[in-house]
Amino acid sequence: MSAMENDPFSLFAKWMKEAEKNEPNDPNAMALATVDGDGRPSSRMVLLKGWDQTGFVFYTNLESRKGGEIQANPNVALLFHWKSLKRQIRIEGAVQPVTPEEADAYFASRPRISQIGAWASLQSRPLEGRFELERRVAEFTAKFGLGEITRPPHWSGFRVVPRAMEFWHDRPFRLHDRFAYSHDGDGWTARHLFP
Ligand SMILES: Cc1cc2nc3c(=O)[nH]c(=O)nc-3n(C[C@H](O)[C@H](O)[C@H](O)COP(=O)(O)O)c2cc1C
């Protein structure tokens, strides 16, 4: 059970810590919803790679479907669902690109094969077959040899700057807890919502 707190970030920290202990896989996995230029939504999972009071960071291919949609409309939503804890967190906000330095530092921390993968994958575009991907991996492996693999210009991160966060916790007989936070002016307002 959780009590409502004044600050959504301290509640987020507590819930994420418990998810890290309880979830068997990827407690940092979250659904990212974007909308296209016609207002049509789509969603997919991404991994949360950093967060603090300024926002929630994920990394991706900027030329992917989500990359294009974010360029057209920076408003997005994130969703965590931890089945082991019966908890959900919804986050809504607008994205800002991370700085090149931040993206470089994270890219440098990734395994070498993942770095090659970032060069090889034309994320979201049609692939003739598995062989085409493997050929591109071999090409970039040969290109970089044993040298440092620099971050591709089409690969970086986004920070979702939250304007609303909502915490949902299962309670018996569907009388769940819902704590909703909205950012207005310079502070956060907390409200209980009916389940
Ligand atoms: C658990 C999980 C984590 C994922 N993490 C990422 C991620 O951090 N970044 C990313 O670009 N794609 C990630 N993916 C793949 C995306 O869900 C998606 O297939 C890909 O980014 C292409 O999405 P798009 O065509 O909408 O741009 C992940 C998939 C799963 C299932």
Side-chain angles (χ1 to χ4, degrees), residues 24 79 164:
L79 179 72

Side-chain angles (χ1 to χ4, degrees), residues 26 29-30 34 42-49 58-61 63-69 106 110 123-125 155:
D26 298 332
M30 55 190 186
T34 53
S42 66
S43 61
R44 79 289 288 152
M45 302 303 290
V46 293
L47 296 177
L48 178 69
K49 287 296 176 181
F58 64 91
Y59 289 89
T60 195
N61 186 313
E63 295 167 355
S64 64
R65 176 175 174 186
K66 75 181 90 48
E69 293 187 355
Y106 174 64
R110 302 183 86 207
Q123 194 178 56
S124 311
R125 280 145 289 175
W155 191 97

Side-chain angles (χ1 to χ4, degrees), residues 10 14 25-26 43 49 63 77 87 109 134 152 154 161-162:
S10 62
K14 276 186 197 161
N25 287 309
D26 298 332
S43 61
K49 287 296 176 181
E63 295 167 355
R87 284 178 180 171
S109 77
E134 282 166 11
H154 59 259
V161 180

Side-chain angles (χ1 to χ4, degrees), residues 9-125:
F9 296 102
S10 62
L11 193 52
F12 184 87
K14 276 186 197 161
W15 284 25
M16 181 53 90
K17 206 168 161 194
E18 286 171 47
E20 283 164 0
K21 269 191 258 152
N22 286 278
E23 280 292 309
N25 287 309
D26 298 332
N28 58 335
M30 55 190 186
L32 164 74
T34 53
V35 283
D36 69 13
D38 296 322
R40 295 195 184 104
S42 66
S43 61
R44 79 289 288 152
M45 302 303 290
V46 293
L47 296 177
L48 178 69
K49 287 296 176 181
W51 72 273
D52 61 20
Q53 304 239 347
T54 63
F56 299 87
V57 174
F58 64 91
Y59 289 89
T60 195
N61 186 313
L62 304 178
E63 295 167 355
S64 64
R65 176 175 174 186
K66 75 181 90 48
E69 293 187 355
I70 284 170
Q71 224 170 356
N73 185 339
N75 293 301
V76 303
L78 299 174
L79 179 72
F80 293 89
H81 176 217
W82 295 300
K83 291 184 181 169
S84 62
L85 297 170
K86 299 188 174 180
R87 284 178 180 171
Q88 161 179 272
I89 301 179
R90 299 164 69 169
I91 298 173
E92 285 152 41
V95 297
Q96 288 175 356
V98 302
T99 62
E101 295 74 26
E102 201 174 345
D104 286 344
Y106 174 64
F107 188 78
S109 77
R110 302 183 86 207
R112 199 170 172 84
I113 304 288
S114 307
Q115 294 177 333
I116 296 276
W119 279 100
S121 174
L122 303 170
Q123 194 178 56
S124 311
R125 280 145 289 175

Side-chain angles (χ1 to χ4, degrees), residues 122-142:
L122 303 170
Q123 194 178 56
S124 311
R125 280 145 289 175
L127 174 68
E128 269 170 33
R130 186 83 200 168
F131 179 71
E132 190 187 357
L133 177 61
E134 282 166 11
R135 183 178 51 74
R136 288 180 60 86
V137 168
E139 275 170 17
F140 283 102
T141 304

